[in-house]
Structure formats: C-alpha cells, structure tokens
Amino acid sequence: MASKQADVLVGRRYLTRGYLDQALELFTRNADVVASADWSLLRDRLLDRGRIQDMVRVCELGHVPIPSAQLIVRGDKALRTKDIDLAIDLFELAGADGPRWEKVVDVLIEMPDRKRQAVAIADRYLVDHTQVAVTTTRPGPIPIKKAVQ
C-alpha cells in the first residue's frame, strides 16, 4: 500500500491539472497529512467552479477559513440576476451585513409567493432582538353594535 505522503503528492498533481474530484478524494483520505496550502488551493479551485458544498466540506476538513469576501461577491451577482435562493445561501455562509439582507428583502417583496420568507429573513438578520420592545397600550377596537330597532 502506498504511503500517505505519496497519496498527497499524487493529489497535488491532480489538483494542478484541474482534476478536482480525484484531488478531493486523495486529500480526504489522507486529511491528517495534507498541508494547509493544499487545502486552500483546492478550496479556491472548487469555488471557481461554483462547487460551494464541496468547498465548505474542504474548509471543514482542512481547517481553512471560508472565503467570505468571495462568497459575498458571488451573492451580490446572484442577487442582481434574481437568483435569490443562491444569494441567500451564499450570504448565510459568508455572514453578510445588514444592508445586503435589506437588498434580499427588497427582492423578495417583489415576488408575491415569497412574503413569508421576506418576513423570516427580516426577523433573523435585520431586527435587533436585544432591545426590549417598547409597547404602548392602546384601547382595542370598539365593536360595532347592531342598530336596535
């Protein structure tokens, strides 16, 4: 059986030639001896090809950070093209800021069937739940009485 270092060396060769699946397989099998730079390069190549799930897996296995800035850029592009589900996924992964979530809500309210999702996103990312809600009491509605004859 080949050594782990030999597997990683072959995985690097696959990676430099663009065979990402083979590199991913070899790196995963030998995760304990793969260098951080190799994981980072594989992460970047997977992201370039739009393979977000595999990229997240590589980040977890290789203990390399998720490239938030690149995900934000991709999310902005998806938002411009109205690919709202992709934009939401990317923004969640990247930890997007409030103004981006406001844009997501603006796009969602233009879609009649996405009202609940717009409310859920606004509640999750735009409402500050740390503040105590100041409620003012006002009288309830006055019932309309039927005219008595």
Side-chain angles (χ1 to χ4, degrees):
M1 181 172 198
S3 70
K4 289 184 173 205
Q5 287 79 13
D7 279 350
V8 172
L9 178 68
V10 171
R12 282 188 197 121
R13 305 291 290 175
Y14 275 127
L15 184 56
T16 58
R17 286 175 174 70
Y19 299 110
L20 303 184
D21 289 323
Q22 290 81 0
L24 179 59
E25 178 186 340
L26 289 169
F27 285 1
T28 302
R29 196 177 330 155
N30 303 287
D32 55 334
V33 294
V34 177
S36 226
D38 294 328
W39 286 116
S40 296
L41 183 59
L42 180 57
R43 174 201 63 196
D44 295 342
R45 297 276 171 85
L46 288 168
L47 183 61
D48 289 343
R49 292 197 186 170
R51 295 176 55 182
I52 306 300
Q53 290 178 336
D54 289 330
M55 186 265 316
V56 171
R57 184 170 162 227
V58 163
C59 290
E60 290 171 352
L61 283 172
H63 305 288
V64 292
I66 289 179
S68 297
Q70 292 171 318
L71 293 177
I72 293 286
V73 169
R74 283 179 174 264
D76 288 340
K77 182 180 177 187
L79 198 57
R80 281 192 302 276
T81 61
K82 305 288 189 206
D83 189 351
I84 192 70
D85 294 319
L86 177 61
I88 290 170
D89 290 343
L90 293 172
F91 287 162
E92 284 178 338
L93 276 173
D97 57 356
R100 283 198 168 76
W101 288 114
E102 288 175 359
K103 290 178 185 176
V104 168
V105 169
D106 289 343
V107 170
L108 285 171
I109 63 172
E110 295 173 2
M111 303 172 176
D113 58 331
R114 300 285 189 116
K115 176 175 69 172
R116 287 181 183 227
Q117 189 176 19
V119 170
I121 286 177
D123 184 52
R124 186 177 308 140
Y125 298 109
L126 298 175
V127 174
D128 185 9
H129 292 285
T130 59
Q131 292 181 350
V132 176
V134 177
T135 57
T136 56
T137 55
R138 61 176 207 178
I142 299 172
I144 300 174
K145 297 181 182 178
K146 292 186 180 181
V148 179
Q149 293 183 2

